[in-house]
Amino acid sequence: MVEAFAVASGKGGTGKTTTTLALGMALAREYDVTVVDADTGMANLLFHTGLDGVETTLHDVLVGETPVSEAAYDRFGMRVVPCGTSLAAFRDADPGRLRTAVADLAADTDVLLLDSPAALGSKGAVLPVVLADRVVVVLQPTVPSLSDGLKVQEYAASYGTGTAGVLFNRVRDDEAVARIAEQAERYFEGPMLARVPESDAARASRRAGEPLLAHAPGSDAAEAYRRAARSLDVRGGDADDVAARFRSAVIPDAP
């Protein structure tokens, strides 16, 4: 069984990478989880997992030099596939090869989490959303963020990708998020997965090069992410069928 989730938002700064790793660690208590940094232009996941010193990354896979298994590292109970920070490698990378890389990973995992680019401005940026079975939309509790998230959902739906749920991150005002959440429930598919509070622990975990659930497992934010993972219904498909779908996926034009 395997299901691929794209963790996505309409703009940067919502905490997608923190969310991707937190969901991954929480889900890894029950599933075999693989996390992929699909943001090939603005890689962050390697810094959050202490992998900034590794030699082989997803960039090496996307330029056609390396099998994806060599860019996968066992970290924090998951397999983590980081992307590099080289501008030259980003320029030479073929986003179409992400299809084959994800297909190969799907053969040996239960849950794939694709940490997606924040905007939908290029083929490489939209491909993770198209490859995924469903998206987890990460929002901040503001009307503009809600609007940006709806654009992600609309684009995903146009390619047959559903919405697994919505997660509000960096919440400071419970009353404000309650008002926005009411609107989200009307417009988004899937449940409200969690409201994750603004957290000094999350910032400290990034500085330490550790996911939040490893650095501060007792924090309120960590517990909120665990609730989100429990609310996420994983619908495992046949691994061979899913891999075949990934390999044959059409690379879309940017919206």
Side-chain angles (χ1 to χ4, degrees), residues 17-42:
T17 301
T18 297
T19 297
T20 303
L21 290 170
L23 290 177
M25 282 192 65
L27 290 168
R29 300 182 66 178
E30 184 175 354
Y31 301 100
D32 187 314
V33 175
T34 301
V35 174
V36 181
D37 191 347
D39 190 350
T40 58
M42 295 291 288

Side-chain angles (χ1 to χ4, degrees), residues 52-78:
D52 46 307
V54 300
E55 294 185 2
T56 305
T57 72
L58 186 62
H59 272 160
D60 299 295
V61 178
L62 299 185
V63 298
E65 299 175 354
T66 307
V68 72
S69 60
E70 294 187 16
Y73 301 88
D74 292 327
R75 298 285 287 170
F76 306 104
M78 311 172 287

Side-chain angles (χ1 to χ4, degrees), residues 115-175:
D115 186 13
S116 304
L120 302 178
S122 69
K123 290 182 178 182
V126 300
L127 186 55
V129 171
V130 174
L131 286 176
D133 297 290
R134 290 184 291 164
V135 294
V136 174
V137 183
V138 181
L139 306 173
Q140 289 186 331
T142 66
V143 171
S145 183
L146 188 73
S147 176
D148 292 335
L150 284 170
K151 294 172 187 174
V152 172
Q153 176 176 264
E154 180 180 2
Y155 188 77
S158 73
Y159 279 89
T161 302
T163 300
V166 176
L167 184 145
F168 280 105
N169 197 20
R170 305 183 68 176
V171 173
R172 296 184 178 91
D173 184 335
D174 286 337
E175 290 186 6

Side-chain angles (χ1 to χ4, degrees), residues 35-51:
V35 174
V36 181
D37 191 347
D39 190 350
T40 58
M42 295 291 288
N44 279 309
L45 192 144
L46 75 171
F47 300 113
H48 288 243
T49 53
L51 292 171

